[in-house]
Amino acid sequence: MQGILYEEASFAQFMMITCIIGGWTAWRTGKSVADSWKGYGLVLVYTALLGLAIRFVHHALFGGTMFSLHYYIVDTIVLLLFSTAGFRFYRTQQMTTSYYWLYEKVSPFSWKAK
């Protein structure tokens, strides 16, 4: 998997920077967009920028390649999974609590009309 998903010497570095630190930041990004009642397109823009920031952290701390399209895409896809989950989780809460007479929660990430 090294060389395909991550370029660091160990998988732990990839997990720590991209999945734990970046994932938490992406989750909070999705939450903040949902809290402000903005659309999903803004999540995509913010996650793309966050992908650049995570590439910089890999470069600054571990000497990773800063401008590698391959690893930027991998990092951004991982971050997009977290930010989308955060957005859907909080949007579901909003819809089912603000419009409780119209919608009911189906799962933590979706709702349906009553």
Side-chain angles (χ1 to χ4, degrees):
M1 297 296 273
Q2 184 189 19
I4 297 172
L5 292 180
Y6 60 95
E7 65 179 328
E8 290 79 17
S10 73
F11 185 66
Q13 290 175 353
F14 172 77
M15 288 298 294
M16 182 65 176
I17 302 299
T18 301
C19 296
I20 295 175
I21 295 173
W24 176 251
T25 307
W27 177 273
R28 299 297 296 178
T29 299
K31 178 194 183 307
S32 68
V33 172
D35 281 346
S36 63
W37 290 94
K38 303 289 183 189
Y40 182 72
L42 199 56
V43 172
L44 297 175
V45 171
Y46 287 161
T47 304
L49 293 173
L50 184 58
L52 287 173
I54 291 299
R55 284 305 324 146
F56 175 74
V57 172
H58 283 291
H59 171 70
L61 295 180
F62 303 111
T65 309
M66 176 69 185
F67 299 110
S68 168
L69 182 62
H70 173 80
Y71 295 120
Y72 169 74
I73 290 171
V74 169
D75 287 344
T76 304
I77 287 172
V78 170
L79 297 174
L80 192 59
L81 294 173
F82 283 99
S83 63
T84 299
F87 178 79
R88 292 293 299 176
F89 182 81
Y90 286 102
R91 182 56 52 97
T92 299
Q93 276 186 326
Q94 285 177 319
M95 295 300 284
T96 57
T97 56
S98 296
Y99 303 107
Y100 58 88
W101 66 92
L102 292 175
Y103 303 111
E104 61 185 352
K105 188 182 283 192
V106 175
S107 74
F109 302 104
S110 65
W111 65 90
K112 69 175 184 174
K114 283 188 174 182

